[in-house]
Amino acid sequence: MSATAALPAHAPARPAPDAAPAVTASELLDFALRTAADTAAVAALPLDPYERTWIRLDGPGGSEAWLIGWPPGAGTGWHDHAESRGAFATARGSLTEHSLAARLPSEGWRSLELAPGVDRSRTLEAGTGRAFGKHHVHEVLNASAEEHAVSVHVYHPPLPLIRRFGRSGPVLTLEQVERPEDWQ
């Protein structure tokens, strides 16, 4: 049988040579935690007293990763990560995450009233992290008035877009859609 001959019918299908295997949430979180513990990588991030700073990293299995510096009081605002799964870990300081325990429709709306009880909040101290699935809606902020925070964020597949939302009480409003060229 030559190298180009067809496989027998009982042979398992081979993945396409350029198809990357799916990266699990556990692998994303492990990468974020390991990178957050890398003191040399964290020290390489320039910090600005007023603006968030970031360095793009290569994540596992073709994922997209970012090392982010958060000056006191900085936050992301409400957003999602479209079809990407993700994880983040705090390397220095403390970050607060507010999230929604509800899946939003992916399209066809501009404003939604959230049901009572969907809000969640957690604080991630240095050395801790969390993973999340597709369509995760949250905001992340450095609530400290004095200390910078640094974190590692990783997404698979790489972010196709980010939807940004405004929030007034229980009402969430779609404000902007960003694409990779907007933050590269």
Side-chain angles (χ1 to χ4, degrees):
M1 187 180 222
S2 74
T4 58
L7 294 172
H10 64 279
R14 292 183 187 159
D18 59 353
V23 179
T24 67
S26 177
E27 290 170 317
L28 295 174
L29 181 57
D30 180 61
F31 174 85
L33 288 166
R34 279 186 293 109
T35 305
D38 182 340
T39 55
V42 172
L45 178 68
L47 299 177
D48 183 282
Y50 307 107
E51 303 280 333
R52 283 191 304 152
T53 55
W54 55 85
I55 296 174
R56 185 154 195 236
L57 307 170
D58 292 324
S63 61
E64 172 179 1
W66 299 88
L67 181 64
I68 301 175
W70 306 77
T76 61
W78 287 94
H79 66 282
D80 72 3
H81 308 98
E83 297 291 322
S84 297
R85 293 179 312 284
F88 72 98
T90 305
R92 183 175 6 165
S94 174
L95 292 173
T96 300
E97 179 194 35
H98 301 291
S99 62
L100 300 178
R103 183 170 175 185
L104 303 180
S106 60
E107 57 187 42
W109 66 277
R110 302 268 322 149
S111 183
L112 292 172
E113 184 169 344
L114 301 170
V118 299
D119 286 294
R120 302 290 183 267
S121 186
R122 72 180 76 210
T123 299
L124 291 116
E125 303 292 340
T128 63
R130 74 175 312 283
F132 52 85
K134 297 176 181 181
H135 309 288
H136 181 68
V137 177
H138 69 167
E139 69 173 348
V140 178
L141 58 107
N142 176 5
S144 173
E146 301 167 0
E147 183 181 0
H148 260 81
V150 175
S151 59
V152 177
H153 301 247
V154 59
Y155 310 99
H156 191 274
L159 296 171
L161 60 88
I162 293 176
R163 296 186 302 175
R164 297 210 175 267
F165 308 103
R167 179 143 185 209
S168 178
V171 178
L172 196 67
T173 304
L174 178 62
E175 292 184 340
Q176 181 180 5
V177 176
E178 294 179 5
R179 306 222 177 265
E181 55 271 16
D182 298 324
W183 63 79
Q184 296 294 338

